[in-house]
Amino acid sequence: MLNNNNLISKDFNSSRDPYKIIFFEEKLSNGLHVILHQDKTNPLVSISVLYHVGSKNEIPGRSGFAHFFEHLMFEGSKNVKKGEYFKYIAYNGGKNNAYTNYDETCYYEILPSDRLPLALWLESERMLHAKIDEESINIQREVVKEEKKMRIENQPYVKAISEIIPSLLFKKHPYKYPIIGFDQDLDAATEKDYKEFYKTYYVPNNAVLVVSGDFNINETRILIKKYFASIPKGKMNFRMKKIEEETIKKEIFYTYVDKNTKVPGVFLSYRVPKLTNKDSYVLKIIDHILSSGESSRIIKNIVNTKQVASYAGSFLDTMEDYSIFIIYGLINPEIKLDQLTKIIDEEIDLLKEKGITQYELEKQINYFEKKFIADNYSMSGITANLSHYYLYYNNADLINTDIEKYKKITIEDIKRVANKYLNKNNRVRLYNVPDNTNK
């Protein structure tokens, strides 16, 4: 890593380690954090602007703003006509998109390397001159509602996972609200509300700009300053007041009637530590031990051997303040939900009491090491990882060293973490059942 303001030498990308990611890092006077990784293997560039704003930054009664802005930011700007963001990129041989989660909103492009100035100009337009008017808001409001119908309201199990379970796990923290928001909140919001959100969060000191690929470091630094240095710094202190949830001391049981499903399912959900906590790394390994591949414990024992579930597994949703760990199963015919829950709990208890073997642990560490290398294989993967490590750890160089945290995990850590978090008395047990009222 380099972080001085002098010109970069021609051998900037040289390294004895073929897997080591070399990058340049600087902060503009307006607070925009810039990270540049040069790789001339292919004539392409990957660009992303990551804003540190997600659904957790929304105020009560105004849910869905972060996701709404992901859509609104493609409407146009002072110098980009309505709907032309995608056209600019497509006509120049590239692709672009965006995503939103609880903690961040990201916009990204992949283009031929000689089109880098175009991408930087478009992103600077988005940051300074986005079109936020009544017409654009009304268009995207309907788009978001249709997306919600298609992806959540008309899909089995999705509402339980994205809306019901978070609302039961969190009583105070904004993680209790769905990322896509509620229709009534979007309908009630005014043009003034949206402009205030934009003015607050779409500012350079709340963003990370990363460029990876085939480009000249010095020329790119000049281009970035040309397009971004004059954008005013935001006035807000972005450090949110820490919101701590009280420990769940008794299992929360809830039955959700799902009009979109015909197969009942059980979802056991646990509130676990934030993504930067060392136990989060252990939980990732536990997640894979339980349900990654045919030899994993849940798939092997519950689905294939005991055949009480047609489909089962687990997943860990890591976030900035807390994370959510879910173990689930969909019952086979003649099996009751309580019966499936009991068998899943037996598998969890076995993990807590007996732990895992050294072979199992080494297998998982090998998987994560392979994934670690694969994630840094493409320019878009490197761009995403540099953004992620800087935003959440304030250390972009973890792109080279984060795997060491997995290698230090022991079989004792697995047992300790499983016993600490995977307990019946501090979880949500949700039964997702069909709507049989019309039968």
Side-chain angles (χ1 to χ4, degrees), residues 236 257 338 402:
M236 180 181 172
V257 179
D338 286 345
D402 200 37

Side-chain angles (χ1 to χ4, degrees), residues 8 17 46 49 104 165 177 182 186 188 242 255 257 262 265 284 290 297 306 311 320 330 342 348 365 370 375 380 418:
I8 309 304
D17 184 352
S46 168
V49 179
E104 66 186 58
I165 289 173
Y177 300 118
F182 299 111
L186 294 177
K242 189 174 182 180
T255 299
V257 179
K262 295 182 179 179
K284 288 180 183 179
L290 288 176
R297 295 190 174 193
K306 297 178 181 177
Y311 191 78
E320 187 171 23
L330 310 182
K342 181 176 181 294
I348 296 170
I365 291 174
K370 180 180 178 181
D375 286 347
S380 58

Side-chain angles (χ1 to χ4, degrees), residues 85 119-129 198 227-228 231:
Y85 270 98
L120 294 174
W121 171 67
L122 287 171
E123 289 300 343
S124 68
E125 281 289 311
R126 198 194 309 272
M127 187 180 290
L128 182 60
H129 294 306
Y198 176 70
Y227 290 120
F228 290 92
I231 300 176

Side-chain angles (χ1 to χ4, degrees), residues 32-261:
L32 178 65
H33 198 84
V34 177
I35 305 176
L36 306 176
H37 165 69
Q38 184 187 76
D39 185 329
K40 294 183 175 292
T41 304
N42 296 304
L44 297 170
V45 284
S46 168
I47 307 98
S48 81
V49 179
L50 183 65
Y51 293 92
H52 198 175
V53 57
S55 61
K56 82 164 184 293
N57 300 97
E58 298 158 358
I59 61 175
R62 292 295 181 267
S63 66
F65 265 45
H67 173 259
F68 187 86
F69 262 83
E70 176 200 325
H71 287 261
L72 192 62
M73 290 297 95
F74 287 98
E75 273 294 298
S77 71
K78 179 180 177 181
N79 299 300
V80 179
K81 293 180 181 179
K82 188 179 294 292
E84 288 197 347
Y85 270 98
F86 286 106
K87 289 182 180 179
Y88 269 113
I89 300 299
Y91 289 169
N92 284 276
K95 60 181 181 179
N96 63 325
N97 215 325
Y99 67 81
T100 310
N101 62 31
Y102 286 107
D103 305 302
E104 66 186 58
T105 305
C106 182
Y107 302 87
Y108 57 92
E109 299 86 18
I110 299 175
L111 281 163
S113 53
D114 63 347
R115 295 298 186 265
L116 174 58
L118 171 65
L120 294 174
W121 171 67
L122 287 171
E123 289 300 343
S124 68
E125 281 289 311
R126 198 194 309 272
M127 187 180 290
L128 182 60
H129 294 306
K131 187 178 289 295
I132 303 171
D133 53 32
E134 188 173 351
E135 181 186 3
S136 298
I137 290 169
N138 288 338
I139 291 171
Q140 292 306 323
R141 185 182 279 133
E142 296 309 310
V143 170
V144 169
K145 287 180 181 179
E146 286 302 313
E147 179 185 357
K148 186 177 180 183
K149 289 178 183 177
M150 181 177 67
R151 294 178 54 189
I152 297 177
E153 294 176 359
N154 293 326
Q155 295 293 327
Y157 314 110
V158 175
K159 188 170 183 178
I161 295 170
S162 65
E163 184 175 325
I164 308 300
I165 289 173
S167 72
L168 296 170
L169 280 174
F170 299 99
K171 299 303 179 185
K172 301 177 183 177
H173 199 284
Y175 287 159
K176 66 182 180 178
Y177 300 118
I179 294 171
I180 204 165
F182 299 111
D183 287 354
Q184 63 266 28
D185 290 351
L186 294 177
D187 288 338
T190 66
E191 184 178 330
K192 180 181 178 182
D193 292 329
Y194 288 114
K195 286 184 175 179
E196 186 64 29
F197 191 89
Y198 176 70
K199 180 182 177 182
T200 300
Y201 294 107
Y202 278 75
V203 291
N205 49 315
N206 194 42
V208 186
L209 167 63
V210 180
V211 182
S212 300
D214 180 18
F215 60 90
N216 179 280
I217 294 286
N218 295 319
E219 291 176 0
T220 301
R221 291 177 66 201
I222 293 170
L223 281 171
I224 290 171
K225 288 175 182 176
K226 172 185 176 182
Y227 290 120
F228 290 92
S230 63
I231 300 176
K233 183 177 184 178
K235 298 178 181 179
M236 180 181 172
N237 178 5
F238 295 103
R239 295 188 66 181
M240 286 182 60
K241 181 181 178 181
K242 189 174 182 180
I243 301 174
E244 292 192 9
E245 291 282 345
E246 295 180 6
T247 302
I248 299 173
K249 298 180 180 179
K250 182 180 179 181
E251 182 184 61
I252 300 170
F253 175 69
Y254 190 90
T255 299
Y256 174 63
V257 179
D258 188 344
K259 65 181 177 64
N260 298 307
T261 186

